[in-house]
Amino acid sequence: MIPTENGGKTMEAMHTLPACPVETTLMLISDKWKVLILRDLLGGTMRFSELRRSLGGVSQKVLTANLRQMEADGLVHREVYPEVPPRVEYSLTGTGQSLEPVIDAMRDWGAAYQRAHAATGDSAAV
């Protein structure tokens, strides 16, 4: 069972969920940056600047928008500490952590694809 952690709201109350479970998953993590945010936060809590640095080419605006959406979807927890300057940390909720097997499967599949295409000298290899 996948926990819902979004202020007591169920995912059904937040979204009209598609009938297809694969489509539901894609609805939550279909953006390139969301998948990479999940990948990096699986390693533990990170500050905004650490996360931005680990992701590489993401702009502050795009990262902020993705984190806000993921927080609204119950995947990411945002902790603001009352300090000067303010410190903000991001971590995965139980729902976000439940996506670890999905990210692991994507990593394994990508590695196998890279190996197969590197062995054939295919220029499409990433």
Side-chain angles (χ1 to χ4, degrees), residues 31-41 51 54-55 103:
D31 185 274
K32 164 190 172 179
W33 296 114
K34 288 181 181 178
V35 173
L36 297 178
I37 290 166
L38 287 167
R39 176 202 65 192
D40 289 356
L41 289 178
L51 193 51
S54 73
L55 294 171
I103 302 301

Side-chain angles (χ1 to χ4, degrees), residues 96-122:
Q97 290 173 349
S98 72
L99 286 163
E100 185 171 11
V102 176
I103 302 301
D104 288 345
M106 291 174 72
R107 179 182 296 116
D108 294 346
W109 186 90
Y113 183 88
Q114 288 176 331
R115 283 190 306 274
H117 286 76
T120 63
D122 187 344

Side-chain angles (χ1 to χ4, degrees), residues 7-58:
K9 297 178 186 174
T10 63
M11 293 304 289
E12 290 80 11
M14 293 173 48
H15 301 288
T16 302
L17 294 177
C20 173
V22 173
E23 190 176 349
T24 299
T25 305
L26 283 175
M27 181 181 73
L28 294 170
I29 65 167
S30 62
D31 185 274
K32 164 190 172 179
W33 296 114
K34 288 181 181 178
V35 173
L36 297 178
I37 290 166
L38 287 167
R39 176 202 65 192
D40 289 356
L41 289 178
L42 281 167
T45 300
M46 297 178 83
R47 294 177 75 163
F48 184 89
S49 59
E50 294 172 319
L51 193 51
R52 185 168 178 210
R53 208 171 16 257
S54 73
L55 294 171
V58 66

Side-chain angles (χ1 to χ4, degrees), residues 60-101:
Q60 181 172 336
K61 179 181 177 181
V62 169
L63 180 55
T64 298
N66 277 280
L67 286 167
R68 284 185 181 154
Q69 184 61 54
M70 293 173 77
E71 184 180 12
D73 289 337
L75 302 176
V76 169
H77 173 72
R78 179 177 185 258
E79 185 72 35
V80 181
Y81 294 90
E83 301 172 356
V84 177
R87 177 171 50 117
V88 180
E89 294 182 340
Y90 294 90
S91 59
L92 293 179
T93 63
T95 303
Q97 290 173 349
S98 72
L99 286 163
E100 185 171 11

